[in-house]
Amino acid sequence: MMECDIVEPERRRLEVTFYRQNRRGKPMRLSREKYLRSDINCGSYGCQLCPITSRAQYKLDGEPPIYSNRYNFKHYLIPDAGFIQRQADVLEELSNVILLQTIMEELAKANLTIYKRIRDGIKNRKILHFLNEHHVETFVERDPGESLDMYSLKLLLRSYEYFQNHFSSRQIGLVILSDDPEFPLKCKSLLGDIDGVNVSTGKDYVENMTSQFKGLEDKLCRVPFGEDTGLKRGERGEVYFDPHLDLKTVQAGIQSGRFLQGAYRCWNFYEGFVRVGGDKQDATEYLIQGTRNINRATDGDIVAIEVLPEDKWSIASGLVVTDIDTEPPITSETVATGDEQEEEVLATAARSKAKGEEIKPAAKVIAIIRRKWAPCCGIIRKSVQESSNYHYFLPDNKKLPRVRIETRNVERFEGMKIVVQIDNWPSNSRFPMGHYLKILGPIGTIETETEAVLHEHGVPHDPFSKAVEACLPTLPYIIPEEEYQRRKNFKDLVIVSVDPPGCTDIDDTLHCRENDDGTFEVGVHIADVSHFVRPRTALDEEAAKRGTSVYLADRRIDMIPAVLSSNLCSLHAGTEKLVFSVIWKMTKDAKILETNFYKGIIQSKAAMTYAEAQAKLNSQDTDEITLSLKGLSFLAQVLKKQRLENGALMLNTSEVNQDGEAQDDSEESHSMVEEFMLLANCSVAEFTLAEYREYAMLRRHPIPPPANFDALLKAAETHGLTIVVDKGSKALNESLQNQDDSLRDIVKILTTRCMTQALYCCSGTTNPEEFGHFGLAKAIYTHFTSPIRRYADLVVHRLLAAAIQVETVDPRLLDTKLMTDVADNINIRHRMAQYASRASHNIHKSKRLKGKLEEQNAFVMFVRRNAFQVFVPQYALEGFIFFPKEGGYVYSEKEGTVTFGDVVFRPLDKVVVTVSVAEDSDKVQFKLVQPYIESLCDKK
């Protein structure tokens, strides 16, 4: 280490003049104060020229290795904003990079997602963020009338010149990375002579890198610079897609009402819809049908659409589209027309329209406002042309198109699951272009498929960083003496936890005791995670980013490190633990007389499974644990009865594990825990909303729009069932409970799918009329009881602690915009966690079924035009049985049925199917056994 006295920085005040256009388009002179500094360190280890300050950071190697043979001298890299935006995946593999502040600001305006990704990724790497706009030797004033692009380039070149001179004595050079082919000409217009400026494209630099970077060239974005949505003609002068309109035209069109804006959602590659009006009851859905009308939109993109003339309105085909299994050669003739499946979709829709079926407003996409292109997992299909470097990537997500990628090493991808990033979709190609990111592993292994599930659903699962680990308390942990002084002592109470077998992240415990006056004291004690996860720390930031723990079939992805989730915060029996408690005083009819909130210390007397607790409830024992459980269960039954009378839905059905074994969650012990967790959540919601009207974190469940129930009502009608969906949740629940035992569970499953998604929200940015929770029939609700695995609960804990004045309020909790952003992120993370968990369990089920052929009872869920969907309760699996392409059946859109001879298939019909797994894949497949239909069943 160098030893040197720390010097105080020299600051210089400067009045900066810049110009903006006024409303008439004329330049307007503006002035701002700026302070320039001389103490901003160059970041290179061993530099003798920079002053040593307390804030100096040495990110760059003092002797940077030569990574690319294109330059035979030691050098650092300075990328421009365009390079970072295009080659972010390459940049993440490079070291000794200088990111200029002005370049990062330019990047943030162009692509905020990539900006955040790069910003967050440089913390522990050899990448320097240099404040060039505040350094006395790198700041340059902007000239009147000078464009932002030229000013940005001038700042970059000034920094380049500064670093060249600064590092010259150490014989370290600079290389600017830019993919802009006009970059040298722009430099020449400013400098006159550019012989001393080293500039390289990403392609030239990476393709000449040393052997240790072998394979990095596959991560290059090879789309020609500036080629995106404009009109691009193929060799034959053909254009497959219409060009997208420019943003200015689109914005003007939206303002005038000519164009509409919304998120594109697809059913398959050939048709989807855009919902205009959000979640409002009067929102309109516009059908987007055919690849030319979809015009390169992919699921989740924010698009601008133009409504088609009424004579071109159509109807959804209702077809179940299988995987795209055609393989057109990858040549300039990818501009060729669509495939047979698209023709079938369009022809089916046309036939339905000709029959007089109700049509829907149709539209076409005229621009992509914001892409939702996340990295996607799948496999490579090698080109049929032996000499070609272009190959097809087939995504696992069948809502995405196949992707063309360029690679010279396709052999190393064969038999592997890989991750690819879509780069661009030219108008002369039926498919987008992209580049490889990483190999996950061999196709078909549980480890690889699980990794693909986590990537596909954006589940953060990297090991916790050193910065996060630095926030953790050292072990063994001893509760500080001051905590005993400020907390309520609950150690003498008979407190127990009841959880599934093998649970190690125990969030909640309970107790119940009868008072002398015949009332009951009931307590719910929740792990005090907020004591360990403090605001504005790396640990808190990571927990906020993850949003929730994710429970897969064979593992758990923790929201917080295991030292907290399974140790210090987990409420194990026999050890002292910090808790946040809700204590009620209630009567025998569960009327709440008093509610109090405390931070406390407990020592749980037992950590029980549901089965163990149920055994206690069924016993005649009179020990204190049994008496506490029986008191809790008695009151829970009263609370449950009250909830049902108020209109709460009971949609839970028996679940199964991957072995097909039933997991009965309806036992008394499970209901006991559930009722008091619900009560605690409601009590906390009411209190925090009363104290912080604008800032409470709530959990709301919107009322489902009537259209959501159309398929359910049609299915029920075919069996003469009555389901009441227009008179509130109580009437709906009563009608579900009145169904025949043989159909009740499957009807509940279909009803669950009609529900809207429950969401977290900030009370200050949500209409109070939308606070309610439809499924629970509660006016106010939140999540408080699982802070180990849900970040929303952690936020609620902090707000409650401030409300009862045991903690000072974090100012960020009182920022409605920030809290809304937090809620939005948690909603996404929670939804993705559910999808990932479901997919993981399906992977394990398919592995268990591999090589087997089982006959199972099943239900018909829905009947489509070319297939019906079946559900197998034994494994909670579902899939399609396709109709023969040559016909031989009659489909009724009105009735939602299909007829084969004398046999009519209706939703909710019971059938017998075989369940197996395809030999060449892990896809579960179904075959009809009973009733016997020759074209649908295996030959007898």
Side-chain angles (χ1 to χ4, degrees):
M1 286 289 294
M2 296 178 294
E3 294 185 3
C4 185
D5 293 333
I6 295 179
V7 299
E8 289 299 317
E10 175 190 339
R11 296 180 177 87
R12 194 172 80 200
R13 178 178 170 276
L14 184 71
E15 185 177 284
V16 179
T17 301
F18 58 98
Y19 295 83
R20 286 183 180 171
Q21 285 185 340
N22 61 18
R23 292 181 179 179
R24 297 180 179 178
K26 296 183 178 181
M28 180 172 60
R29 185 177 183 274
L30 297 172
S31 297
R32 295 288 186 272
E33 286 187 353
K34 184 180 291 290
Y35 289 88
L36 302 181
R37 303 166 61 100
S38 63
D39 65 326
I40 299 176
N41 198 285
C42 73
S44 177
Y45 189 82
C47 179
Q48 301 290 335
L49 300 178
C50 288
I52 306 298
T53 69
S54 58
R55 301 182 65 180
Q57 292 188 355
Y58 297 96
K59 293 275 197 164
L60 309 176
D61 287 330
E63 294 287 328
I66 299 175
Y67 292 133
S68 177
N69 296 322
R70 181 174 171 81
Y71 299 97
N72 60 359
F73 55 86
K74 298 177 294 183
H75 59 269
Y76 300 129
L77 301 170
I78 302 182
D80 69 2
F83 178 90
I84 301 173
Q85 188 173 350
R86 285 168 46 83
Q87 309 291 0
D89 299 304
V90 170
L91 184 65
E92 288 180 332
E93 302 291 328
L94 301 177
S95 298
N96 293 302
V97 178
I98 300 172
L99 296 179
L100 302 180
Q101 169 205 350
T102 51
I103 294 297
M104 290 295 285
E105 290 172 354
E106 185 179 348
L107 176 65
K109 293 176 182 177
N111 192 314
L112 188 59
T113 301
I114 292 180
Y115 165 78
K116 290 180 178 179
R117 173 180 158 191
I118 298 299
R119 180 200 63 189
D120 295 341
I122 66 176
K123 293 178 181 177
N124 299 308
R125 297 181 53 224
K126 295 177 181 178
I127 297 182
L128 174 70
H129 184 223
F130 184 73
L131 303 176
N132 61 308
E133 202 174 21
H134 295 278
H135 195 292
V136 291
E137 295 193 49
T138 56
F139 173 76
V140 183
E141 284 200 57
R142 184 179 175 186
D143 295 331
E146 187 173 37
S147 69
L148 283 174
D149 286 345
M150 291 306 291
Y151 180 57
S152 177
L153 176 61
K154 190 162 68 173
L155 286 166
L156 187 155
L157 293 175
R158 181 68 189 93
S159 296
Y160 178 91
E161 180 185 6
Y162 163 73
F163 282 118
Q164 279 280 66
N165 295 331
H166 192 78
F167 297 134
S168 61
S169 61
R170 297 163 60 196
Q171 297 183 327
I172 299 175
L174 276 296
V175 174
I176 296 175
L177 295 177
S178 176
D179 281 351
D180 184 356
E182 296 183 3
F183 187 88
L185 293 176
K186 293 177 182 177
C187 292
K188 193 170 184 178
S189 69
L190 287 175
L191 303 177
D193 182 7
I194 60 169
D195 289 342
V197 180
N198 301 309
V199 181
S200 176
T201 64
K203 180 176 181 294
D204 289 342
Y205 191 86
V206 170
E207 289 184 348
N208 286 282
M209 293 188 79
T210 54
S211 58
Q212 71 184 95
F213 292 94
K214 183 180 180 181
L216 184 58
E217 62 185 53
D218 286 324
K219 294 190 176 185
L220 281 169
C221 172
R222 297 179 180 272
V223 178
F225 185 87
E227 181 177 314
D228 39 46
T229 57
L231 186 64
K232 306 297 173 188
R233 297 189 172 272
E235 291 180 9
R236 296 184 177 184
E238 297 174 278
V239 176
Y240 191 79
F241 295 105
D242 289 338
H244 290 148
L245 300 184
D246 63 88
L247 186 59
K248 187 175 181 180
T249 303
V250 169
Q251 289 174 338
I254 292 174
Q255 289 177 355
S256 68
R258 178 187 172 192
F259 304 142
L260 302 172
Q261 176 180 330
Y264 173 69
R265 299 295 181 188
C266 67
W267 299 304
N268 52 62
F269 185 51
Y270 308 107
E271 54 186 346
F273 66 93
V274 171
R275 185 180 177 90
V276 178
D279 296 328
K280 297 177 182 178
Q281 297 284 347
D282 58 349
T284 303
E285 286 186 0
Y286 293 89
L287 178 66
I288 316 291
Q289 198 167 58
T291 54
R292 291 182 185 271
N293 284 334
I294 295 170
N295 198 4
R296 295 166 284 168
T298 54
D299 192 59
D301 288 348
I302 304 300
V303 301
I305 60 172
E306 183 176 25
V307 180
L308 296 173
E310 195 166 340
D311 63 339
K312 293 187 178 181
W313 290 8
S314 185
I315 184 170
S317 71
L319 293 176
V320 179
V321 176
T322 57
D323 298 349
I324 302 173
D325 51 12
T326 57
E327 186 175 4
I330 304 172
T331 67
S332 61
E333 300 196 13
T334 51
V335 299
T337 57
D339 54 39
E340 293 180 3
Q341 290 199 39
E342 180 173 9
E343 293 173 4
E344 184 181 4
V345 165
L346 297 178
T348 301
R351 287 194 296 270
S352 300
K353 182 178 178 181
K355 291 178 182 178
E357 295 183 19
E358 185 179 356
I359 60 175
K360 288 187 176 183
K364 65 178 180 180
V365 174
I366 50 91
I368 310 293
I369 296 173
R370 185 169 68 249
R371 285 288 190 189
K372 194 181 180 182
W373 280 346
C376 48
C377 305
I379 61 173
I380 284 285
R381 178 173 289 175
K382 190 176 180 180
S383 172
V384 296
Q385 296 179 336
E386 290 295 329
S387 60
S388 177
N389 289 331
Y390 290 92
H391 310 275
Y392 275 142
F393 168 78
L394 309 183
D396 290 342
N397 183 352
K398 299 310 174 186
K399 290 184 177 182
L400 293 176
R402 60 175 58 183
V403 182
R404 299 200 315 161
I405 70 168
E406 180 182 0
T407 177
R408 301 172 186 174
N409 303 304
V410 68
E411 290 77 16
R412 72 189 184 107
F413 299 138
E414 293 187 87
M416 294 289 178
K417 181 84 73 173
I418 70 170
V419 183
V420 160
Q421 175 65 57
I422 300 176
D423 294 324
N424 196 15
W425 197 339
S427 55
N428 67 337
S429 172
R430 290 199 62 240
F431 302 106
M433 295 186 287
H435 66 275
Y436 146 85
L437 293 181
K438 66 186 293 188
I439 294 176
L440 297 180
I443 296 170
T445 66
I446 285 183
E447 191 62 36
T448 297
E449 298 304 325
T450 300
E451 188 74 10
V453 164
L454 294 174
H455 268 85
E456 198 68 43
H457 296 94
V459 176
H461 60 287
D462 290 334
F464 289 101
S465 68
K466 291 181 179 179
V468 170
E469 291 177 350
C471 299
L472 301 174
T474 55
L475 299 178
Y477 176 76
I478 300 174
I479 297 176
E481 183 59 34
E482 57 265 26
E483 294 301 322
Y484 289 97
Q485 302 300 321
R486 64 191 289 262
R487 291 174 180 264
K488 197 167 182 66
N489 188 344
F490 295 118
K491 292 192 294 181
D492 293 335
L493 295 179
V494 182
I495 294 174
V496 298
S497 62
V498 184
D499 292 284
C503 179
T504 61
D505 54 343
I506 303 173
D507 287 286
D508 54 88
T509 54
L510 308 94
H511 89 270
C512 176
R513 64 182 179 184
E514 189 171 0
N515 298 319
D516 293 339
D517 61 359
T519 61
F520 288 89
E521 178 189 276
V522 179
V524 166
H525 309 272
I526 306 300
D528 188 5
V529 179
S530 63
H531 174 78
F532 298 97
V533 183
R534 308 303 297 175
R536 302 173 186 267
T537 62
L539 175 58
D540 183 51
E541 289 178 4
E542 183 66 22
K545 183 179 78 171
R546 297 189 177 212
T548 180
S549 293
V550 183
Y551 293 84
L552 305 180
D554 59 347
R555 72 195 71 173
R556 184 182 77 219
I557 311 295
D558 283 325
M559 182 184 78
I560 55 179
V563 70
L564 295 179
S565 64
S566 298
N567 187 352
L568 299 184
C569 293
S570 187
L571 305 181
H572 300 137
T575 58
E576 294 183 355
K577 297 290 182 178
L578 305 179
V579 294
F580 210 153
S581 304
V582 186
I583 309 295
W584 301 278
K585 182 179 180 181
M586 60 177 62
T587 64
K588 289 184 178 180
D589 58 359
K591 179 181 179 181
I592 297 173
L593 303 176
E594 190 176 312
T595 304
N596 290 293
F597 307 96
Y598 303 99
K599 286 217 170 188
I601 298 177
I602 68 166
Q603 188 167 334
S604 173
K605 300 299 184 286
M608 311 177 76
T609 64
Y610 289 120
E612 290 169 343
Q614 190 64 44
K616 287 280 190 183
L617 292 172
N618 295 339
S619 74
Q620 301 300 316
D621 295 346
T622 57
D623 61 275
E624 57 184 7
I625 290 178
T626 302
L627 292 177
S628 180
L629 288 173
K630 287 186 174 181
L632 288 165
S633 181
F634 170 78
L635 292 168
Q637 291 176 47
V638 177
L639 289 169
K640 184 173 183 178
K641 182 181 178 181
Q642 293 174 354
R643 278 202 310 118
L644 294 177
E645 288 174 351
N646 289 333
L649 295 177
M650 298 296 292
L651 296 178
N652 289 344
T653 58
S654 296
E655 298 180 357
V656 297
N657 61 20
Q658 60 255 32
D659 298 322
E661 299 168 343
Q663 308 290 302
D664 190 1
D665 283 343
S666 61
E667 291 184 339
E668 182 184 350
S669 60
H670 188 280
S671 179
M672 174 190 72
V673 175
E674 180 183 36
E675 290 304 321
F676 282 106
M677 296 306 111
L678 292 173
L679 184 60
N681 289 334
C682 290
S683 296
V684 172
E686 291 169 2
F687 187 78
T688 54
L689 184 63
E691 294 293 318
Y692 293 102
R693 189 70 192 177
E694 297 294 315
Y695 313 110
M697 177 73 73
L698 301 179
R699 178 80 168 164
R700 67 185 185 94
H701 183 204
I703 299 172
N708 282 25
F709 294 100
D710 288 349
L712 172 65
L713 294 177
K714 183 181 288 187
E717 186 179 353
T718 61
H719 286 264
L721 306 179
T722 300
I723 301 176
V724 181
V725 301
D726 56 353
K727 295 183 179 180
S729 58
K730 183 176 182 179
L732 172 60
N733 192 63
E734 289 175 349
S735 66
L736 293 176
Q737 302 307 320
N738 291 334
Q739 301 305 320
D740 183 81
D741 290 347
S742 62
L743 290 177
R744 186 180 299 118
D745 279 357
I746 191 66
V747 170
K748 284 185 176 182
I749 290 172
L750 287 174
T751 304
T752 301
R753 298 184 182 189
C754 299
M755 294 294 110
T756 52
Q757 187 87 26
L759 301 166
Y760 296 101
C761 67
C762 174
S763 60
T765 55
T766 306
N767 188 331
E769 295 178 358
E770 299 176 356
F771 286 173
H773 196 293
F774 177 77
L776 297 175
K778 294 291 183 181
I780 301 293
Y781 191 66
T782 193
H783 274 163
F784 164 79
T785 54
S786 296
I788 290 178
R789 61 185 178 90
R790 292 190 303 231
Y791 190 76
D793 301 53
L794 183 55
V795 172
V796 171
H797 275 230
R798 289 172 178 165
L799 205 58
L800 180 61
I804 64 173
Q805 299 180 358
V806 297
E807 299 278 356
T808 57
V809 65
D810 179 2
R812 293 183 301 176
L813 293 175
L814 307 182
D815 183 335
T816 54
K817 183 182 184 304
L818 179 60
M819 285 299 99
T820 300
D821 291 343
V822 169
D824 290 344
N825 178 66
I826 298 172
N827 288 329
I828 294 170
R829 294 302 183 192
H830 179 72
R831 185 164 58 250
M832 292 300 104
Q834 288 181 315
Y835 294 160
S837 178
R838 195 176 304 153
S840 171
H841 280 84
N842 286 342
I843 289 169
H844 283 257
K845 291 171 190 174
S846 69
K847 291 298 180 184
R848 299 287 297 186
L849 288 167
K850 191 89 171 181
K852 297 180 181 180
L853 182 66
E854 295 187 6
E855 282 193 10
Q856 294 287 346
N857 294 321
F859 289 95
V860 176
M861 297 283 277
F862 300 105
V863 178
R864 307 299 187 195
R865 291 185 187 275
N866 63 334
F868 56 71
Q869 186 176 1
V870 294
F871 176 78
V872 179
Q874 178 69 13
Y875 289 105
L877 286 171
E878 57 189 272
F880 292 98
I881 294 177
F882 287 90
F883 307 153
K885 290 186 176 180
E886 55 270 19
Y889 60 89
V890 177
Y891 170 76
S892 171
E893 167 72 19
K894 182 178 180 181
E895 302 294 332
T897 62
V898 65
T899 304
F900 286 81
D902 297 331
V903 180
V904 180
F905 291 95
R906 306 167 298 172
L908 305 182
D909 276 351
K910 296 178 182 178
V911 295
V912 178
V913 300
T914 59
V915 184
S916 61
V917 176
E919 286 294 325
D920 58 346
S921 71
D922 286 326
K923 293 180 182 177
V924 178
Q925 50 193 14
F926 304 87
K927 199 77 174 178
L928 186 67
V929 175
Q930 293 179 8
Y932 180 78
I933 304 294
E934 183 176 0
S935 59
L936 299 181
C937 304
D938 290 328
K939 306 298 181 184
K940 288 187 175 179

